Amino acid sequence: VKACELISTAMDISSTFADFPTEAITKTTKDYRQLGIGYANLGALLMAMGRGYDSEGGRTLAAAITSLMTGTAYRRSAELAAVVGPYAGYARNASAHQKVMRKHQAANDDLKVVEQMDAPVHAAATQEWAQVVELGAKNGFRNAQASLLAPTGTIGFMMDCDTTGIEPDFSLVKFKKLVGGGSMQIVNHTVPRALRNLGYLDEQIEAIVAYISDKGNVIDAPGLKPEHYEVFDTAMGVRAIKPMGH
């Protein structure tokens, strides 16, 4: 929540400092002050927590996090509007904007978390949306848009993420180019963390990681329970995530 508050505030301050390709885009940006807070490494987070990407537990946690971040960003936007005023186009869009906020709130209320450990995230999101509706009705909003799901390709790699944006991991084994030439094969750094959180011992983890490095997948990995296979499903390979799972 604190990170969303900080980044949303910083983004609003800097939103009109950039150069834009056309006058129309410049005017729209200044009038509506659209922000785009989002996240990277979701796929790795789900894997680390022992959730299958294409599973109800994975989807509801992703939904709860998305709701919390978006609600926090719009709540901050309403707080900023109280200090420096709403975006220029707000007056003629006030009713529609507030209606969208209530629809977000209703969608959050409809979310049923599968895992009990996700309940605090959803509860925090519920509190945020209540404030969004209350403060927005009183102050308006500083930003017409607060969040989006960005690919985060460049940012994600700079942050040393295993996955980018909302995507699942591409594959469990990757090849890294070396500065002096050649390349090395590495297993996704999140795999050992996921195995540890699932209760596997160090020697079991070493054996499973070695197997993945050799075979490129987890099928028949020594000591790995079949019910945990889905945690390590990726975009490519023998257990590729189905199209709708993406």
Side-chain angles (χ1 to χ4, degrees):
V1 171
K2 293 299 181 183
C4 290
E5 288 179 350
L6 176 64
I7 297 302
S8 295
T9 304
M11 288 176 69
D12 182 70
I13 293 170
S14 65
S15 65
T16 54
F17 289 169
D19 292 324
F20 301 98
T22 67
E23 288 186 12
I25 293 175
T26 301
K27 185 176 189 324
T28 299
T29 302
K30 289 184 176 180
D31 285 351
Y32 291 92
R33 308 183 70 83
Q34 307 98 321
L35 305 184
I37 194 171
Y39 47 45
N41 226 23
L42 174 67
L45 171 68
L46 295 178
M47 186 182 292
M49 295 187 68
R51 309 286 179 88
Y53 185 90
D54 185 13
S55 70
E56 283 305 301
R59 278 186 284 274
T60 54
L61 176 57
I65 293 171
T66 306
S67 181
L68 177 57
M69 288 202 309
T70 304
T72 301
Y74 275 117
R75 187 256 299 163
R76 172 59 73 179
S77 184
E79 291 173 342
L80 291 174
V83 179
V84 289
Y87 60 90
Y90 178 73
R92 59 181 176 275
N93 290 286
S95 177
H97 193 143
Q98 291 182 38
K99 181 179 179 180
V100 170
M101 297 300 98
R102 292 192 296 273
K103 291 183 75 171
H104 275 300
Q105 183 184 37
N108 175 78
D109 290 342
D110 288 341
L111 179 62
K112 301 294 187 290
V113 294
V114 177
E115 302 287 345
Q116 191 56 39
M117 64 169 49
D118 300 345
V121 180
H122 184 233
T126 301
Q127 290 181 342
E128 290 295 338
W129 284 112
Q131 291 186 73
V132 168
V133 171
E134 179 184 349
L135 294 175
K138 182 170 60 176
N139 306 330
F141 296 91
R142 182 66 172 164
N143 314 96
Q145 175 182 310
S147 66
L148 53 73
L149 296 176
T152 69
T154 303
I155 296 172
F157 287 123
M158 290 176 66
M159 294 169 64
D160 200 27
C161 295
D162 280 318
T163 62
T164 61
I166 197 173
E167 299 172 20
D169 195 19
F170 183 76
S171 63
L172 293 179
V173 178
K174 300 180 177 67
F175 293 89
K176 183 178 180 65
K177 289 185 177 180
L178 303 176
V179 176
S183 64
M184 65 179 291
Q185 181 176 303
I186 55 174
V187 175
N188 181 331
H189 295 303
T190 309
V191 171
R193 182 179 172 188
L195 290 168
R196 202 166 288 113
N197 287 339
L198 288 169
Y200 291 92
L201 303 176
D202 288 345
E203 56 267 28
Q204 293 176 302
I205 293 171
E206 288 180 14
I208 294 170
V209 170
Y211 182 91
I212 295 172
S213 181
D214 179 46
K215 303 293 185 181
N217 63 74
V218 297
I219 298 176
D220 295 326
L224 182 64
K225 299 175 183 178
E227 60 263 34
H228 292 155
Y229 284 2
E230 70 168 6
V231 174
F232 306 100
D233 287 349
T234 57
M236 301 291 289
V238 293
R239 283 186 58 90
I241 294 169
K242 295 176 182 178
M244 288 306 295
H246 284 264

